[in-house]
Amino acid sequence: MTDIINTAENADLKKTNFIHLQITDDLNQRKNNSRIHTRFPPEPNGYLHIGHAKSICLNFGIAEKFGGKCNLRFDDTNPTKEETEYVDSIMNDVRWLGFDWENRLYYASDYFQKLHDFAILLINKGKAYVDNQDAETISLQKGTPTRPGTESPFRNRSVEENLDLFMRMSNGDFDEGDCVLRAKIDMNSPNMHMRDPIIYRIMKTPHHRTGDKWGVYPMYDFAHGQSDYWEGITHSICTLEFEVHRPLYDWFVDHLMDSDYRPRQIEFARLNLTYTVMSKRKLLELVKDNHVNGWDDPRMPTISGLRRRGYTPESIRNFSDRIGVTKVDGVIDVSLLEYSVREHLNKTAQRVMGVLNPLKVIITNFPENETVELEAINNPEDESMGTRIVPFSKEIYIEQEDFMENPPSKFFRLSPGREVRLRYAYFITCNEVVKDENGNVKHLLCTCDLASKGGNSPDGRKVKSTLHWVSAEHAVKSEVRLYDRLFSDENPDGHKEIDFKQFMNPDSFKKLPVCYVEPFVKTAKPLDHFQFERLGYFNLDYDSTPEKPVFNLTVQLRDSWAKEQSKG
RNA sequence: UGUCCUGUGGUGUAAUUGGCAACACGUCUGAUUCUGGAUCAGAAGAGUUCAGGUUCGAAACCUGACAGGACAACCA
């Protein structure tokens, strides 16, 4: 309210949302002593993706905005699916995004004892019972969303018998599936989740943290709200599909409360992006079946994939702010994500010249064996980044696409008889096209105006176009990996009858083994960002060796020439 | 024959809580430019799913439709 001016300056960034408004409301009512505490609660059963980034930015962002705290808590109640590898990758990704949980790292498994005690308390209160029926029977008795359930024959066992049975479940006296502990709520509830939900099941799989200490594990619903409660969480933010769980969340909290503090669950719509899939199950499938090269394949919407692709934490955070938070289940256009990286990299990326599809040009009037050093600007958007030296010599490479023998009227680049500028170097004019026996262009013979050294002619004459180039002698031979959308359909998992993998884009990955980049990149480290002038943003891949750098395409530059061409 | 949630330009979000629809992306012009990038200036595009109602006044409140989604794992 007080910083209307600041808000206006930030335009669409840092905008408010319905959750902020509800929190403000809670604050005004002095709920929970005006304390704000959120948490990000991933299950360590896969790698984090851009949808998680939205949640991370939301939860940590709220803590920041309202002067509160945000915990990192692993929701590890199912040992059959969870692994330490995932725990490590998740912590790494959250940190990389720029967020800090300080000393507040928690696991639902930290609360296994307290949860177990609480279950016993519910049994003592007559609010929970052991059911010996099998999964199928219980499921049948649950009824359907439109038909009420029926009560289990074991529903009214004595407290003593329930206590004894639950202890024996916990001690490993029974096999998996023999029995479960259920909350005694209401089999006639219109909400399926209130029809005596299962809260503990027997599992013999060792847990990634507690080993074989426990023979029973709590279900999500029986762990989440309680964990929130014990951590003093005030706002438990989750995605829409948990909306129907909220009455159950509140039911458990009701039985836990010993003051007027209580956590509150608020749901928002998960992120959907065009041309990709966002479910952990489907991403896992792509990895397991080798449709992609691991969780960090640069085509994946995972945080690790985006990082390897060349996205920056800033760009992802800006993206999160821009898309907003609502309860409307929509789809965000990937172009907005792409815009966010371009925006950030434009301001920060080192400029460099690199030729992807080389075409040799021989400057006929340039002396042999001579190297001229030219000064180039490192980033026109940031003067403090300074300049660098780029070597020029008689033989250079330009981009095949920058030459056309018979150009259409709107093509401004090099063609026979035409003069163009080589960026930071000279004006050159194409005199001859040398072809092989098949009529393919082998190389070009050009002359340069030696007076135009540096890129301007003293007589002030203009050229219509400026090309990037690399001196053949000095070029660093590199591999460049080009990426396109993983799926060719906007909504690959939106088709009922067709498996999402049917829509995989066969051209989503293209390797260019021989590209030439200026010597400046020799000292680059993996993940360093560059703009290859006139092409796009690239970053150095982990697979690079000193002999052969490997670059990943992050995004292309906006290309109005390509747009012009596609108009036909 | 259920319960809950949602419905604003192509897309995503806003609208000081009832005051006459704003912003971003995208699109299209033009300027500028040693990146057909960036930047700058401008334009088109919704009358808020529909129908009633309350009100001087409704995107907002009420009623009813319609459309989409969630819920029947010993998953989270």
Side-chain angles (χ1 to χ4, degrees):
Chain A
M1 286 295 269
T2 49
D3 49 68
I4 289 167
I5 297 162
N6 288 335
T7 312
E9 276 175 4
N10 285 321
D12 63 322
L13 295 182
K14 305 285 175 202
K15 54 190 181 185
T16 190
N17 60 53
F18 82 101
I19 297 179
H20 290 337
L21 295 178
Q22 288 186 17
I23 290 175
T24 304
D25 212 48
D26 290 345
L27 244 20
N28 290 338
Q29 292 177 46
R30 306 205 159 281
K31 281 189 188 168
N32 300 323
N33 295 319
S34 301
R35 213 165 41 75
I36 300 299
H37 206 327
T38 56
R39 100 269 91 113
F40 172 61
E43 184 191 11
N45 67 342
Y47 280 61
L48 259 26
H49 55 61
I50 181 80
H52 294 108
K54 176 182 180 182
S55 172
I56 292 165
C57 292
L58 212 210
N59 278 294
F60 281 92
I62 284 169
E64 209 172 293
K65 174 167 179 151
F66 293 95
K69 292 182 164 92
C70 180
N71 297 356
L72 174 62
R73 179 172 72 229
F74 288 98
D75 221 333
D76 55 351
T77 56
N78 185 350
T80 64
K81 292 188 174 173
E82 296 146 8
E83 295 172 23
T84 313
E85 178 199 346
Y86 297 130
V87 170
D88 296 340
S89 76
I90 289 168
M91 290 199 285
N92 186 37
D93 287 346
V94 175
R95 257 189 238 111
W96 179 78
L97 275 175
F99 297 102
D100 184 7
W101 56 89
E102 299 174 315
N103 59 347
R104 297 180 309 279
L105 171 63
Y106 301 106
Y107 294 80
S109 51
D110 290 340
Y111 310 119
F112 280 171
Q113 185 62 54
K114 285 173 106 165
L115 254 6
H116 195 83
D117 294 346
F118 181 51
I120 290 171
L121 180 78
L122 288 184
I123 293 173
N124 277 314
K125 281 184 174 174
K127 296 287 187 184
Y129 63 95
V130 173
D131 195 333
N132 287 72
Q133 301 178 105
D134 60 34
E136 197 187 345
T137 309
I138 290 176
S139 169
L140 248 34
Q141 284 172 351
K142 275 220 166 138
T144 69
T146 54
R147 225 181 288 277
T150 50
E151 297 185 352
S152 163
F154 298 99
R155 196 174 199 259
N156 294 311
R157 289 220 251 230
S158 70
V159 169
E160 292 68 31
E161 192 182 0
N162 280 318
L163 245 21
D164 174 61
L165 254 16
F166 184 54
M167 288 320 291
R168 287 165 61 194
M169 278 173 66
S170 307
N171 292 336
D173 295 355
F174 305 122
D175 289 330
E176 287 188 13
D178 281 356
C179 48
V180 291
L181 185 69
R182 293 228 255 169
K184 191 193 278 192
I185 306 180
D186 179 8
M187 291 306 289
N188 292 313
S189 171
N191 183 335
M192 295 290 290
H193 297 277
M194 300 299 274
R195 320 237 263 231
D196 290 11
I198 292 167
I199 59 181
Y200 261 100
R201 76 287 213 194
I202 297 169
M203 285 183 136
K204 306 276 187 182
T205 310
H207 187 273
H208 73 113
R209 291 188 75 238
T210 61
D212 53 10
K213 181 177 178 196
W214 295 93
V216 290
Y217 292 92
M219 299 287 288
Y220 163 84
D221 286 306
F222 194 68
H224 203 96
Q226 290 88 315
S227 302
D228 285 341
Y229 184 84
W230 289 319
E231 286 174 25
I233 299 304
T234 56
H235 300 269
S236 182
I237 297 163
C238 61
T239 45
L240 250 28
E241 67 269 27
F242 292 102
E243 203 150 31
V244 275
H245 294 239
R246 193 169 48 198
L248 185 54
Y249 179 102
D250 288 333
W251 192 88
F252 290 129
V253 170
D254 286 340
H255 288 272
L256 218 44
M257 280 174 67
D258 58 1
S259 70
D260 57 4
Y261 153 68
R262 80 172 301 151
R264 191 243 280 209
Q265 177 181 303
I266 302 174
E267 311 84 12
F268 72 100
R270 64 158 10 108
L271 170 65
N272 295 303
L273 264 189
T274 53
Y275 299 102
T276 192
V277 293
M278 208 70 95
S279 93
K280 274 199 216 172
R281 205 209 86 226
K282 292 193 173 93
L283 294 175
L284 179 65
E285 192 177 334
L286 292 176
V287 173
K288 284 254 154 78
D289 298 345
N290 295 311
H291 291 105
V292 294
N293 303 312
W295 286 98
D296 70 344
D297 186 303
R299 295 167 294 177
M300 291 281 273
T302 50
I303 310 277
S304 50
L306 291 167
R307 176 170 55 233
R308 189 165 186 182
R309 178 78 176 259
Y311 277 72
T312 58
E314 290 88 338
S315 64
I316 293 174
R317 282 191 254 119
N318 285 160
F319 171 73
S320 289
D321 285 333
R322 240 188 284 264
I323 60 176
V325 179
T326 63
K327 299 186 77 158
V328 185
D329 197 11
V331 191
I332 310 274
D333 200 316
V334 255
S335 64
L336 193 58
L337 216 209
E338 294 173 345
Y339 169 82
S340 294
V341 235
R342 283 199 195 100
E343 177 191 48
H344 184 231
L345 258 17
N346 176 47
K347 293 190 193 108
T348 56
Q350 166 75 43
R351 309 285 130 124
V352 109
M353 290 192 284
V355 174
L356 267 35
N357 298 300
L359 171 61
K360 184 171 274 186
V361 172
I362 299 171
I363 315 291
T364 52
N365 62 333
F366 198 83
E368 304 257 2
N369 306 320
E370 185 172 323
T371 299
V372 172
E373 296 192 331
L374 301 159
E375 187 176 41
I377 295 166
N378 284 335
N379 186 346
E381 304 291 321
D382 180 0
E383 215 176 300
S384 74
M385 287 178 72
T387 60
R388 69 184 185 285
I389 294 298
V390 185
F392 182 87
S393 62
K394 187 179 179 73
E395 294 195 3
I396 60 165
Y397 293 109
I398 66 167
E399 208 69 62
Q400 283 173 24
E401 284 178 27
D402 285 341
F403 173 78
M404 275 183 106
E405 198 169 4
N406 300 299
S409 64
K410 284 180 177 168
F411 184 84
F412 304 145
R413 281 111 96 143
L414 195 63
S415 57
R418 181 129 80 198
E419 183 173 52
V420 298
R421 171 171 32 233
L422 294 179
R423 182 144 229 229
Y424 300 124
Y426 298 93
F427 284 9
I428 59 166
T429 305
C430 177
N431 302 309
E432 196 179 333
V433 183
V434 179
K435 298 181 182 176
D436 63 16
E437 57 280 7
N438 297 319
N440 297 316
V441 178
K442 270 172 69 186
H443 59 265
L444 265 27
L445 298 179
C446 298
T447 51
C448 81
D449 174 1
L450 291 163
S452 64
K453 181 180 172 188
N456 281 303
S457 172
D459 64 11
R461 92 184 170 271
K462 303 273 182 199
V463 287
K464 282 206 100 173
S465 157
T466 300
L467 310 186
H468 61 276
W469 54 275
V470 172
S471 164
E473 181 192 342
H474 306 88
V476 176
K477 198 190 268 188
S478 308
E479 176 181 315
V480 172
R481 298 175 182 176
L482 264 20
Y483 301 101
D484 198 356
R485 22 202 66 151
L486 233 199
F487 295 90
S488 47
D489 188 272
E490 259 202 27
N491 185 201
D493 54 8
H495 304 261
K496 286 185 187 75
E497 308 288 297
I498 313 172
D499 185 77
F500 74 103
K501 294 192 296 304
Q502 296 296 113
F503 297 103
M504 290 196 73
N505 175 8
D507 303 316
S508 62
F509 175 55
K510 191 177 173 193
K511 186 190 284 190
L512 303 177
V514 186
C515 302
Y516 296 108
V517 189
E518 64 167 280
F520 186 86
V521 299
K522 275 181 185 164
T523 54
K525 303 182 301 296
L527 257 36
D528 279 355
H529 305 280
F530 295 97
Q531 183 195 102
F532 285 11
E533 295 217 30
R534 302 209 308 132
L535 295 176
Y537 296 98
F538 293 80
N539 78 336
L540 198 69
D541 192 79
Y542 306 121
D543 290 347
S544 293
T545 62
E547 298 73 43
K548 190 171 198 183
V550 176
F551 290 95
N552 292 315
L553 169 67
T554 308
V555 248
Q556 292 175 311
L557 252 28
R558 278 184 56 189
D559 188 349
S560 46
W561 166 237
K563 201 178 286 174
E564 183 66 38
Q565 285 175 300
S566 66
K567 283 179 189 169

